[in-house]
Amino acid sequence: MVERYVMSIDQGTNSTRCILFDRGGRLVSVAQREHQQHFPRPGWVEHDAVEIWHNLRRVMTEVLTGAGTAVDASQVAAIGLANQRETTVLWDRRTGTPLGRALVWQDTRTAPLVEELRVRPGEEFFLDRCGLPPSTYFSALRIRWLFDHVKGLEQRAKNGEVLFGTMESWLIWNLTGGADGGLHITDATNASRTMLMNIRTLTWDEELLAFFGVPRPMLPEIRSSAETYGEARAQLPGVPITAALGDQQAALFGQTCFSPGDAKCTYGTGSFLLLNTGTDVVRSRHGLLTTVAYKIGDRPPVYALEGSIAVTGALVQWFRDRLGLINSAPEIETLARTVEDNGGCYIVPAFSGLFAPRWRSDARGVIVGLTSYITSGHLARAVLEATGWQTREVVDAMNADSSVALKELKVDGGMTADNLLMQFVADVLDVPVVRPMVSETVSLGAGYAAGLAAGYWPDLEVLRRNWHPAARWLPGMDPGHREAEYDNWQRAVERSLGWIRPPGSP
């Protein structure tokens, strides 16, 4: 019998990865390509959507030839996509050409508009409809910014000449034919990050569309996270595309967090902690986001509370690329272990402002406690500890919103290879931290959803049985020391919120 596989595409902030998984949820083959990061102005972050599309085509081919023995396209049962969520692409409906670079979720150019929206109509207007507060994070504000700054674009959108999508929409459109009949769709998880979808009805909200001035014809059709959308044409012709999820919802699915109260945190460029709240739309009172966790076929949607941290792995990249204190990301753990503590140094990496639970786009990064005693080792330790303390802030907010306190945290993503960091997270949260055998659960979740929709796996219980722990870190920090250090971190955050904006700065 010929073995069949599920193909998972993870279009992330820094790279596009393609993985083949077998029925046991085991990684069979992987291919990956990075794409360029564009920073044209302070706070602006852009990607070339065409470069990403070309990279996807390459990795889809490479993953088939890298599987020990070559895998034929006929052995691929289904394709699922996960994607960086709020990154915004506008393109010409007729030619398929992007109308400028994609504006990345980290981009903060819409900050002045955010401040206006907080005053009028105010946060409640948006929270009641889409479950999201005004923030530079979300797509609707980027569409509005583009309309306001690109001459003639808004009128072209009204004329039906322009399409909008997050990355999964752009890639599915191209995979299924592009300008020659490509599908213009999104799923409920990605649509829930735009500030344009009603969080309860899972449809585009007329009041929000009118408020932002977004014409309905430019929007993709909202579909469930796991169903047969159509067949690929540009690559792997005839293979069904059966799933799409935002990357963090995909990670929740890959961690098999299918029950209310299950939680995971993905540690990547940013970090994202999601708590399954079941079919209930839970309104956060402590700075978290209400989001769609997933929707399987015609079943009721499952929701989640999310704490989004803008900068974690990106801080390690900054430490490597901008300061040049290490040559590769894994070296930061070795450098941090040359000292016993942070030497009184704290780093608040508010490069894109602060996300959950504070939502302050005006915050800026600070380093607090510098003395002549501080070495590169202390700075490395402060870089890692910044991720732990930001996680603690989110968990505190989640415990306040939820009736059940967090008992265990499942983790995934590239930073979980850092044992020093994971132990620190367990210490500051005072709960066990568990990493699964397959750490790339974003890809696994997209594969699981695609396989479910295609009948490759029969039900969620089979997926639960595939989950196995690979590492566990138990808390061991003295409570008094933990809380004293947390107080120091909080004071450092206040410094980041109270910085003085230089005249003429963005």
Side-chain angles (χ1 to χ4, degrees):
M1 179 177 173
V2 177
E3 184 65 68
R4 303 195 77 201
Y5 308 97
V6 168
M7 176 178 286
S8 176
I9 296 161
D10 175 10
Q11 200 299 294
T13 307
N14 293 296
S15 67
T16 301
R17 179 187 297 113
C18 189
I19 296 179
L20 292 180
F21 290 103
D22 66 13
R23 292 185 189 275
R26 293 177 291 266
L27 189 154
V28 175
S29 178
V30 60
Q32 182 172 350
R33 286 181 179 260
E34 292 188 356
H35 53 265
Q36 187 173 354
Q37 308 293 312
H38 299 273
F39 306 101
R41 296 187 188 180
W44 291 27
V45 189
E46 300 176 350
H47 290 160
D48 182 339
V50 173
E51 178 190 7
I52 290 173
W53 163 233
H54 289 163
N55 284 351
L56 174 62
R57 298 190 70 170
R58 293 186 184 103
V59 296
M60 289 178 72
T61 299
E62 291 167 0
V63 78
L64 296 179
T65 58
T69 58
V71 173
D72 188 82
S74 63
Q75 294 175 256
V76 179
I79 300 170
L81 289 91
N83 59 286
Q84 49 168 322
R85 296 174 295 181
E86 298 80 7
T87 295
T88 299
V89 189
L90 300 185
W91 68 94
D92 186 293
R93 180 190 296 269
R94 182 179 61 85
T95 66
T97 303
L99 302 174
R101 291 186 187 135
L103 306 190
V104 180
W105 59 273
Q106 299 162 312
D107 190 288
T108 60
R109 73 185 69 185
T110 59
L113 179 56
V114 170
E115 297 308 313
E116 293 177 17
L117 299 184
R118 284 179 175 158
V119 175
R120 190 179 60 205
E123 289 192 354
E124 290 300 314
F125 175 82
F126 301 103
L127 290 169
D128 287 344
R129 291 161 178 79
C130 63
L132 306 174
S135 169
T136 59
Y137 196 13
F138 306 116
S139 307
L141 283 80
R142 295 193 175 90
I143 299 174
R144 186 65 257 166
W145 188 94
L146 288 165
F147 283 173
D148 292 341
H149 291 82
V150 179
K151 186 177 180 180
L153 181 59
E154 184 171 8
Q155 187 58 51
R156 290 189 63 194
K158 290 178 179 177
N159 295 342
E161 301 172 19
V162 176
L163 298 180
F164 154 77
T166 42
M167 276 298 171
E168 88 297 342
S169 295
W170 163 248
L171 294 178
I172 291 174
W173 190 79
N174 279 289
L175 280 170
T176 57
D180 183 22
L183 296 172
H184 187 215
I185 62 174
T186 186
D187 90 298
T189 68
N190 280 292
S192 74
R193 315 297 295 190
T194 61
M195 292 189 75
L196 296 173
M197 188 192 81
N198 187 290
I199 194 68
R200 292 173 179 81
T201 65
L202 306 193
T203 59
W204 300 120
D205 187 281
E206 293 296 341
E207 287 184 279
L208 292 171
L209 296 185
F211 179 84
F212 286 108
V214 174
R216 180 180 280 273
M218 76 182 300
L219 297 174
E221 177 187 359
I222 300 174
R223 306 279 286 270
S224 74
S225 308
E227 62 173 276
T228 299
Y229 303 137
E231 293 182 349
R233 290 171 59 188
Q235 292 288 113
L236 277 63
V239 177
I241 301 172
T242 59
L245 299 98
D247 51 9
Q248 302 313 315
Q249 287 92 336
L252 188 78
F253 207 81
Q255 288 276 29
T256 66
C257 293
F258 302 139
S259 301
D262 289 349
K264 71 88 198 176
C265 190
T266 297
Y267 290 98
T269 305
S271 291
F272 304 86
L273 203 158
L274 271 70
L275 174 75
N276 184 323
T277 62
T279 55
D280 295 331
V281 179
V282 176
R283 172 78 174 274
S284 175
R285 301 293 177 182
H286 298 87
L288 303 178
L289 305 177
T290 302
T291 194
V292 177
Y294 54 86
K295 186 179 187 307
I296 304 302
D298 57 3
R299 302 179 200 174
V302 173
Y303 293 92
L305 284 172
E306 176 176 331
S308 310
I309 304 169
V311 175
T312 52
L315 182 59
V316 177
Q317 293 170 336
W318 171 81
F319 193 75
R320 178 194 66 191
D321 300 336
R322 300 293 186 179
L323 298 189
L325 294 175
I326 53 176
N327 294 315
S328 64
E331 289 178 24
I332 196 166
E333 180 178 5
T334 302
L335 183 56
R337 287 187 182 276
T338 62
V339 295
E340 293 184 357
D341 55 36
N342 63 17
C345 181
Y346 300 84
I347 298 178
V348 181
F351 297 163
S352 302
L354 290 173
F355 285 7
R358 297 172 184 273
W359 298 107
R360 288 284 298 272
S361 60
D362 59 328
R364 289 297 179 269
V366 298
I367 302 177
V368 175
L370 282 179
T371 67
S372 58
Y373 171 73
I374 297 300
T375 67
S376 59
H378 294 109
L379 288 173
R381 202 167 188 106
V383 164
L384 296 180
E385 290 183 358
T387 291
W389 293 126
Q390 289 182 103
T391 305
R392 166 70 184 269
E393 286 197 317
V394 168
V395 168
D396 283 355
M398 202 161 278
N399 285 339
D401 275 327
S402 175
S403 59
V404 180
L406 185 71
K407 301 297 185 186
E408 177 183 87
L409 182 65
K410 292 182 175 180
V411 297
D412 55 76
M415 294 185 80
T416 62
D418 191 315
N419 290 291
L420 180 63
L421 171 60
M422 290 298 100
Q423 182 59 59
F424 187 74
V425 171
D427 286 341
V428 301
L429 298 185
D430 198 30
V431 299
V433 169
V434 187
R435 184 180 69 206
M437 292 290 291
V438 179
S439 63
E440 296 301 336
T441 53
V442 171
S443 297
L444 185 59
Y448 275 168
L452 277 175
Y456 186 78
W457 289 291
D459 52 41
L460 297 180
E461 189 55 40
V462 169
L463 303 183
R464 279 195 181 97
R465 292 199 295 269
N466 282 347
W467 192 95
H468 300 287
R472 182 184 297 268
W473 294 269
L474 302 177
M477 185 181 289
D478 174 77
H481 177 65
R482 177 176 62 242
E483 297 312 309
E485 287 287 291
Y486 190 40
D487 288 344
N488 290 339
W489 163 261
Q490 296 284 342
R491 285 194 287 270
V493 172
E494 292 303 317
R495 296 281 188 90
S496 80
L497 296 173
W499 77 293
I500 299 175
R501 185 187 300 269
S505 67

